[in-house]
Amino acid sequence: MTTPAVPSYVSGTSEKPLLGDTIGDNFDRTVAAFGDREALVEFATGRRWTYRQLAEEVNAVAKGLVDLGVGKGDRVGIWAPNCAEWTFTQYATAKIGAILVNINPAYRVHELKYVLNQAGVRTLVAAPSFRTSDYAGMIEEVRPECPALEDVILIGQEEWTSLVAIGRGGSAALLDELQAELSADDPINLQYTSGTTGFPKGATLSHHNILNNGFFVGEMCTYTEADRICIPVPFYHCFGMVMGNLAATSHGACMVIPAPGFEPATTLAAVAAEKCTSLYGVPTMFIAELADPSFASHDLSTLRTGIMAGSPCPVEVMKQVIDRMGMAEVTIAYGMTETSPVSTQTRADDSLDRRVSTVGRVMPHLEVKVVDPETGLTAPRGTPGELCTRGYSVMLGYWEQKDKTAEAIDAARWMHTGDLAVMDDDGYLNITGRIKDMVIRGGENVYPREIEEFLYTHPDILDAQVVGVPDERFGEELMVWIRMREGATPLTAETVREFCQGKLAHYKVPRYVHVVDEFPMTVTGKIRKVEMREKSVELLGLEKVAATRHA
């Protein structure tokens, strides 16, 4: 009788229990414990708040929203780059039980309209503009087609000033009463992920989901009230608002916003000036910081930890972050929006080899397993399969899309990630690929189907297939293979970019274009994207980049 193989399954244990608080109650406990400590710094403007001062702003926004008629379960959209008001709104909505709908700052008109209507956004808090995006103009353009939208509050404008002023005079007792009626299991956040059908899906997350994930991510980084976390990653994503803000406030640490959008030199300056102990980023951000001409002039000696996540990390980049930036305890995290987001993380005491070549081990109070995608059976250790995760972090479901939820979460509550992974004998995981053809460009999840369906609207395109190709800066870039209609002039990267301008978010616009007569096909008539990707690497001369080792 042979000994059965050890299955690719692990569960995360911890001496620390899960938090049973709502986000508002947990925040108030931190304010009571660390009221005089600095809580939030907006480096670009010099504005700063202690925890007590931050609570005053949060409560004012919360009471202002209540005065507008916003209540438990109502959807409040936030469409803005990183700023203090984003954070005020995040905690204010949590205190009154409104569901915060994160809207990607890169969205254009058709994406904005879809999310506002799909979520039924009642109130929208937005920046008037950011970089080349006229948010106010785009909102006015879609507003007649968004029947649920009642109020638009532009940050820094009269509407925002009025909201806060009314809130400062509002009833604290009423706010306490509303907060006391909330459950930790209530939905509190909607985060949209690009969908394979061409439409984004709203991952519905509860207080319990994201508060605990933020807390335990912070535990893995050994945060205390003495830590100062530099957060250049966007708040609209879990990386910023959960791993950044909630990890900080659940430990009494300080949140440092270097700039509204990512700027490598400003991020380095913020770390130095604010004596940050932790720095976050996707690999492309760290690459840009290490390459910045001003790098050597910044004193980064206070850094000890941080998180690199969002896309596969090149091993050499990880080593430089440790050696040149002094982040000896830097960790790699892996997860997805639907899991709040982190499922696995390396630990500060893991060996360098573990930290540069794996995505770590399962997080406390979670389970992960690797299964055979065909049979659903747990694979033996060392055998590739689909990574699944279960526990407190798994979303409540996709907003008003039960069919899509059922495709992602099985009857036993396992979230099927779609990622291929291998688990070693010690429970460490390597992500080896993706079952579906999702592309991760600079930390942004891009689904080719969405771009393909848009390109089909071009009058000269007969068919379009998008694949990811390796890229030194972004991890992956987009390449589209196009079949032209008969007699049409072949498109170029420039003409495709012009067609997409203002209609697709910039990160969804293909960088490379390859015009062909036919696509490589299987004998059953399915397009072979694996072969297309391999051929694309050859055509573009990216063999060296493709060979770069990643965690």
Side-chain angles (χ1 to χ4, degrees), residues 388-432:
C388 299
T389 183
R390 181 168 68 180
Y392 76 82
S393 69
V394 175
M395 67 174 177
L396 301 179
Y398 292 119
W399 184 258
E400 294 188 345
Q401 288 187 295
K402 289 184 178 179
D403 56 334
K404 299 297 180 188
T405 303
E407 290 173 15
I409 303 172
D410 65 26
R413 290 293 299 169
W414 285 100
M415 177 78 207
H416 289 252
T417 67
D419 287 323
L420 292 169
V422 178
M423 184 184 293
D424 70 14
D425 290 339
D426 297 315
Y428 288 84
L429 286 150
N430 271 95
I431 306 300
T432 58

Side-chain angles (χ1 to χ4, degrees), residues 315-547:
V315 172
E316 290 309 311
V317 174
M318 187 70 166
K319 288 179 177 175
Q320 284 194 54
V321 165
I322 293 169
D323 295 341
R324 296 179 59 202
M325 301 181 86
M327 295 168 62
E329 298 173 27
V330 66
T331 71
I332 281 184
Y334 162 82
M336 59 195 302
T337 304
E338 291 89 337
T339 55
S340 303
V342 178
S343 297
T344 72
Q345 191 173 349
T346 59
R347 274 52 164 183
D349 58 356
D350 280 338
S351 68
L352 177 62
D353 183 62
R354 293 283 198 203
R355 284 189 287 148
V356 299
S357 63
T358 78
V359 293
R361 291 172 284 152
V362 66
M363 294 287 282
H365 303 290
L366 295 179
E367 302 169 86
V368 296
K369 66 177 179 177
V370 176
V371 304
D372 182 318
E374 297 296 321
T375 66
L377 296 175
T378 304
R381 298 280 175 113
T383 304
E386 183 182 17
L387 181 63
C388 299
T389 183
R390 181 168 68 180
Y392 76 82
S393 69
V394 175
M395 67 174 177
L396 301 179
Y398 292 119
W399 184 258
E400 294 188 345
Q401 288 187 295
K402 289 184 178 179
D403 56 334
K404 299 297 180 188
T405 303
E407 290 173 15
I409 303 172
D410 65 26
R413 290 293 299 169
W414 285 100
M415 177 78 207
H416 289 252
T417 67
D419 287 323
L420 292 169
V422 178
M423 184 184 293
D424 70 14
D425 290 339
D426 297 315
Y428 288 84
L429 286 150
N430 271 95
I431 306 300
T432 58
R434 290 186 294 282
I435 294 172
K436 296 175 183 175
D437 59 1
M438 183 179 77
V439 177
I440 303 180
R441 181 195 181 276
E444 293 282 359
N445 292 355
V446 183
Y447 288 83
R449 177 80 177 274
E450 181 182 2
I451 302 164
E452 290 159 4
E453 291 197 357
F454 173 75
L455 291 174
Y456 289 152
T457 65
H458 192 292
D460 295 335
I461 291 177
L462 180 65
D463 201 353
Q465 295 293 322
V466 174
V467 294
V469 294
D471 184 77
E472 203 162 54
R473 183 179 176 199
F474 292 107
E476 287 185 291
E477 261 291 5
L478 297 172
M479 180 171 188
V480 60
W481 289 39
I482 292 173
R483 293 173 61 206
M484 305 298 301
R485 295 192 184 280
E486 196 170 336
T489 304
L491 293 170
T492 64
E494 182 63 30
T495 52
V496 168
R497 187 159 52 247
E498 286 172 4
F499 180 68
C500 297
Q501 188 75 37
K503 301 187 186 79
L504 282 183
H506 66 87
Y507 61 84
K508 298 177 186 175
V509 178
R511 180 175 175 186
Y512 306 107
V513 173
H514 181 46
V515 177
V516 295
D517 294 327
E518 298 291 343
F519 299 129
M521 311 284 272
T522 67
V523 290
T524 57
K526 291 183 180 178
I527 293 169
R528 281 187 50 78
K529 284 203 168 181
V530 172
E531 187 179 325
M532 289 172 61
R533 187 180 186 279
E534 291 169 354
K535 182 67 175 173
S536 298
V537 169
E538 291 177 24
L539 286 168
L540 300 171
L542 297 173
E543 292 88 347
K544 187 177 177 183
V545 181

